[in-house]
Amino acid sequence: MYRVSPFVRHFARALLSGALVATLWVNLSPETYYDAIEFRLTDLPGLILPRPMALTPLALVTEGLMALFLAFIGKELWEALTLPHGALAGRRAALPALAIAGGLAGSVVAWLLAAALLPEVPAGAWAIPIGSDVVLAYALGRLVFGPGHPALHVLLAVTIGLEMAGLLAMGLSRPPEVFRPLWLILPLAAPLAARAFVYRDRQRSEVARAHVLQLWPWAVAGLLSWIGVLAAGLPGALGLLPVIPAMPHARRNFGLFAEAEGFLHDPLNRLAQLLVRPVAVTLFLFGLTCGGVVLSAAGTPTLAILAAIWAGKPLGLLAAVWAGARFAHLPMPPGLRPGDWPVLAALAALSFTVPLLAIGELMPGGLPDAAARLGLAIGLFAAAAALPLRRATAP
């Protein structure tokens, strides 16, 4: 099996470091913490944006810098779906795809049930528990399964799929009055224009090859796409995703976050390599601005989050995988045993990055917001079930 790049573990450390600093800060001095992350840098007029917005460190990270991280994992998902030997391409990827669908459905159903039974849990915030956490799940999965285990590649595929599903659900959950679909022409047209520009010389010459390998047209297209997504009323974190399918890329997939991709010279992989350090910084800043957990903020949203990610998501994932294997006779991914799936479900239940974004978008501020964040933090202890499950199901 291919080797996963070590930067995924560095991403996990950066995210947790930022969140730990933020948690200490917000519990020791909440006033200074919130003053810092909500400090008004400038006011952005509503000329392009659907409504005026204050530019704060929090908004700069969530609406701007996080687009880099989500483009990074979006690139991996796109290659997994479309390239030969991709982790989600072909019949052998059917069970991971079903696992994504089952985890999504289970978390939403559990949230809606909790919303019907518990006060202060808005049913319209159903998108919050869908997302997983790619970097934390992989870092812990590596400890549970050991380096190089085939289950790690399936875990990456499932968590990336859940992250992207959570993002799209968050965009769909925004109020309809701020959605301006005509602006979506810009993120659709900019990548197509960039592709037409770099392929303007069809001849197989060194000049034509140099045109295709240029990165600056894609940087311009990414900026225009991000502006269009924001102006359309969607989360800015989605802004770079429309550019990925248009970019020239390698003809073969070496696997999710494969170390071998560092030696490829196509624009998509070169851009991903350039983003490694900025993404690590982004994840630290994201943990610092969004990961502060108020330890005394327990409430009914805490219970709803835990019901969705400790029960709904893993049970939905396992039910979908069981049904696919039992009734559709779908093959196991290479190297996996049926007993590996409960461990994968416990790890995929880890929910942090995209759910934190969704909480900022969909939960009312104050105590419900803080209670939901506490639920995500407690939910990380789902990983504690992975090791005993692994020991119980090991051959």
Side-chain angles (χ1 to χ4, degrees):
M1 298 296 290
Y2 61 87
R3 178 175 173 174
V4 175
S5 293
F7 61 69
V8 182
R9 301 196 302 278
H10 301 331
F11 288 171
R13 295 189 192 105
L15 176 62
L16 286 177
S17 298
L20 287 173
V21 171
T23 298
L24 288 172
W25 189 357
V26 76
N27 284 280
L28 293 175
S29 180
E31 298 85 1
T32 60
Y33 176 75
Y34 289 117
D35 286 345
I37 66 171
E38 296 174 0
F39 179 76
R40 188 184 298 268
L41 301 171
T42 187
D43 289 320
L44 301 178
L47 299 176
I48 295 178
L49 300 175
R51 54 192 175 190
M53 178 176 133
L55 182 62
T56 64
L58 177 62
L60 185 62
V61 172
T62 56
E63 299 284 0
L65 292 178
M66 280 302 286
L68 300 178
F69 170 66
L70 296 171
F72 201 92
I73 65 172
K75 173 253 185 192
E76 297 295 329
L77 181 63
W78 174 252
E79 291 180 335
L81 287 168
T82 61
L83 294 185
H85 308 291
L88 292 175
R91 181 175 170 81
R92 66 189 178 90
L95 277 183
L98 270 180
I100 294 168
L104 185 159
S107 57
V108 171
V109 169
W111 179 270
L112 293 177
L113 287 174
L117 297 173
L118 300 173
E120 296 183 348
V121 179
W126 54 269
I128 290 175
I130 293 175
S132 184
D133 198 289
V134 176
V135 296
L136 295 182
Y138 173 78
L140 292 168
R142 194 172 183 271
L143 295 175
V144 172
F145 285 107
H149 194 285
L152 295 178
H153 311 306
V154 177
L155 177 63
L156 283 172
V158 171
T159 51
I160 288 174
L162 287 170
E163 291 276 67
M164 302 311 292
L167 274 173
L168 295 175
M170 182 177 72
L172 294 173
S173 300
R174 278 202 164 183
E177 60 268 17
V178 303
F179 183 52
R180 302 187 296 175
L182 284 179
W183 276 100
L184 292 178
I185 295 173
L186 187 55
L188 294 175
L192 295 178
R195 188 173 180 85
F197 178 78
V198 299
Y199 282 110
R200 63 190 183 277
D201 188 346
R202 294 288 182 177
Q203 297 178 356
R204 293 189 176 182
S205 64
E206 288 300 317
V207 174
R209 187 173 183 274
H211 288 166
V212 174
L213 293 178
Q214 290 174 332
L215 289 181
W216 71 264
W218 302 107
V220 173
L223 177 61
L224 293 174
S225 174
W226 177 74
I227 291 172
V229 168
L230 268 180
L234 296 176
L238 299 171
L240 300 182
L241 295 179
V243 180
I244 293 170
M247 291 188 70
H249 53 73
R251 296 183 178 181
R252 185 183 185 278
N253 183 236
F254 289 93
L256 295 163
F257 299 113
E259 192 172 38
E261 291 181 348
F263 301 98
L264 300 177
H265 300 292
D266 59 284
L268 188 56
N269 278 294
R270 283 167 55 219
L271 188 61
Q273 291 302 312
L274 289 174
L275 286 178
V276 168
R277 289 186 179 179
V279 166
V281 174
T282 292
L283 287 175
F284 174 80
L285 293 175
F286 179 76
L288 186 62
T289 55
C290 297
V293 177
V294 180
L295 301 179
S296 60
T300 51
T302 309
L303 298 177
I305 289 285
L306 293 176
I309 64 178
W310 275 0
K313 186 179 293 181
L315 291 178
L317 186 155
L318 290 174
V321 168
W322 176 82
R326 176 71 174 81
F327 298 111
H329 306 291
L330 297 175
M332 284 284 164
L336 248 70
R337 302 175 302 104
D340 292 328
W341 282 106
V343 186
L344 287 170
L347 292 168
L350 298 175
S351 304
F352 203 62
T353 315
V354 170
L356 277 177
L357 281 173
I359 285 174
E361 291 278 341
L362 303 176
M363 287 294 289
L367 185 58
D369 181 289
R373 293 173 192 272
L374 178 61
L376 291 181
I378 296 173
L380 295 179
F381 289 97
L387 189 56
L389 280 173
R390 172 67 175 157
R391 290 172 177 169
T393 57

